[in-house]
Amino acid sequence: MAARLSPLAIMTKLVSFPTVSRDTNLPLVDWLEDYLTGHGIETHRWIDPEQPHKAALMAHAGPRVEGAVVLSGHSDVVPVDGQDWDGDPFTVVERDGKYFGRGTCDMKGFDALAIWALVEGHHRGLQRPLQLALSFDEELGCTGAPPMIAEMQKLLPKGSAVIVGEPSMMQAVTGHKGGQTFRIEVWGHEVHSSIMHTGVSAVMEAARVIQWANEVNAAEASRAPSDVAAMFDPPFTTLHTGLIEGGTAQNITARQCRFDLGFRAVPDQPHEDWRSRILGRISEVEQAMQAIHPETRIDVETRFGVPGLVPEQEGEAEGLARALTGDNAGHVVSYGTEAGQFQEAGYSAVVCGPGDIAQAHQANEFISVAQFEAGHAFMRRLIDRLAA
């Protein structure tokens, strides 16, 4: 029988795989699949047909019936390029009450605890099933979770409560904003700037869209928030451009300008409504451009979209997380997770994991030993409950 590794040993192994989103995660998936099947646990992998060097891994322990608790994590991490680390980012080092290493906080610390719980629960004899859902490309916009969730429902009995272990300091987060990002490319018509009225500046037309976004932000900020929106900081949907490039010279109307425009929506506002508003404004600007020169245009590419997590009334996942943590306060966050995607697929979902989100993506990323131990205690209580 395979050895039963401690949570720290599992985290150390997971961190040793440099699963930066741009690279493969298959060595990690291979090791984990071997480790779980070595303990007699059912596993399934889903390989992305467009990226065959990446895979999600799903596992099931306990009776093969519906109603499992699903522990959800992701295998990918952000790059370390250009960051000033004190040591090897892919080697876990304990120092000053902290475990340092890329992904210790976001989120291989939770992954390790979930894997430990699956093996421990299997050997204890679970009365209610426990599942693991380990995705990829979460750091690229949560793009790997939807196909994994769809595959899970074909291969495994459907779970009922999902705990997404993003770092929340072991608090039960019941709501978060969703969002979508667009890559927008404006194509103008070049003329000398002295006769700019005969040309179309892609840069200045892009600015019309961006200024509209500023005006929308101001309008949203001035509106009385809904009960759901009031839980967030800020309590409204926001539009943002963080990247723009274009033009060739100061005295030429720009032929091309590319920029990103995204929104983070409070979860009671449908994404499609915001998408329609943005595309509608872009269409208005494009029509005005084409009235000057018909060959101008604006191309829009949807980069990714993440649904919000809507607080549930008496949600099973929330109730479970609160029972295991003793946390009865209300918590919401403005960043997105895969919890909204599970919720869209019919699962009750909550975000609850060890570590501080402020450490995610940083040089010398760490999870405190105290938080890691709090996560371990959480998993022990979960196993006690599922084995009872």
Side-chain angles (χ1 to χ4, degrees):
M1 181 177 294
R4 287 159 69 173
L5 301 178
S6 69
L8 178 57
I10 298 172
M11 180 173 70
T12 299
K13 186 66 177 179
L14 296 179
V15 171
S16 73
F17 296 104
T19 51
V20 175
S21 301
R22 66 187 175 221
D23 300 323
T24 183
N25 73 336
L26 292 184
L28 183 153
V29 171
D30 290 341
W31 175 82
L32 179 54
E33 192 170 45
D34 287 345
Y35 179 66
L36 294 177
T37 56
H39 285 280
I41 294 173
E42 176 186 356
T43 65
H44 301 273
R45 70 168 66 189
W46 182 82
I47 298 176
D48 186 347
E50 297 183 2
Q51 303 181 96
H53 60 292
K54 294 183 179 181
L57 189 70
M58 301 147 280
H60 181 102
R64 214 174 189 286
V65 297
E66 294 189 351
V69 174
V70 182
L71 302 176
S72 166
H74 60 82
S75 62
D76 59 316
V77 297
V78 298
V80 298
D81 307 26
Q83 294 186 333
D84 186 16
W85 284 73
D86 292 340
D88 179 4
F90 300 106
T91 299
V92 174
V93 175
E94 181 180 357
R95 185 174 66 250
D96 302 326
K98 303 168 183 174
Y99 294 123
F100 292 88
R102 173 56 88 223
T104 50
C105 178
D106 185 18
M107 59 181 299
K108 290 180 177 179
F110 176 84
D111 294 343
L113 293 165
I115 294 162
W116 176 87
L118 204 68
V119 173
E120 185 70 15
H122 173 74
H123 289 290
R124 279 275 299 274
L126 297 170
Q127 300 302 304
R128 179 181 175 183
L130 184 64
Q131 294 177 353
L132 173 70
L134 190 68
S135 69
F136 59 90
D137 283 359
E138 190 274 347
E139 300 293 3
L140 298 181
C142 298
T143 58
M148 175 193 70
I149 295 169
E151 196 70 9
M152 280 183 69
Q153 295 181 82
K154 298 176 186 175
L155 298 172
L156 298 176
K158 186 168 182 175
S160 58
V162 178
I163 298 172
V164 178
E166 293 284 357
S168 71
M169 297 295 288
M170 296 309 302
Q171 296 176 331
V173 172
T174 59
H176 65 63
K177 290 185 177 181
Q180 194 161 45
T181 296
F182 304 93
R183 171 62 55 86
I184 301 168
E185 195 158 15
V186 183
W187 293 93
H189 178 65
E190 289 180 314
V191 298
H192 194 276
S193 60
S194 64
I195 53 170
M196 61 177 292
H197 65 289
T198 66
V200 177
S201 168
V203 168
M204 297 184 73
E205 298 304 322
R208 295 185 195 276
V209 178
I210 296 170
Q211 178 55 26
W212 171 81
N214 286 327
E215 294 166 359
V216 169
N217 284 338
E220 291 297 309
S222 66
R223 182 176 292 118
S226 67
D227 290 343
V228 171
M231 302 169 67
F232 291 85
D233 182 20
F236 52 89
T237 295
T238 56
L239 278 64
H240 177 253
T241 290
L243 177 67
I244 185 170
E245 58 181 359
T248 55
Q250 171 58 26
N251 61 350
I252 302 174
T253 57
R255 180 175 181 271
Q256 184 266 354
C257 182
R258 180 188 300 115
F259 66 102
D260 287 350
L261 178 63
F263 66 84
R264 292 183 181 270
V266 292
D268 62 344
Q269 293 184 349
H271 277 203
E272 192 53 45
D273 291 353
W274 279 103
R275 177 183 174 87
S276 295
R277 287 185 67 181
I278 291 170
L279 295 181
R281 178 53 182 159
I282 290 171
S283 178
E284 291 173 356
V285 172
E286 182 181 57
Q287 289 175 31
M289 292 166 53
Q290 291 176 345
I292 299 171
H293 200 284
E295 293 182 2
T296 59
R297 69 182 192 278
I298 301 179
D299 297 332
V300 181
E301 176 190 355
T302 301
R303 303 290 288 193
F304 61 82
V306 180
L309 175 65
V310 182
E312 302 169 3
Q313 292 293 326
E314 300 181 358
E316 180 184 352
E318 175 186 352
L320 177 61
R322 293 195 186 285
L324 295 174
T325 62
D327 174 26
N328 291 314
H331 306 284
V332 298
V333 294
S334 291
Y335 57 82
T337 77
E338 295 172 339
Q341 294 169 323
F342 275 100
Q343 191 178 66
E344 276 196 338
Y347 296 83
S348 175
V350 69
V351 178
C352 187
D356 186 344
I357 193 65
Q359 303 306 321
H361 305 181
Q362 302 299 307
N364 295 318
E365 178 183 347
F366 69 83
I367 186 171
S368 71
V369 173
Q371 275 292 296
F372 194 64
E373 289 304 318
H376 193 189
F378 176 96
M379 293 300 177
R380 290 196 297 268
R381 290 190 289 270
L382 175 62
I383 294 305
D384 289 343
R385 175 178 288 251
L386 299 185

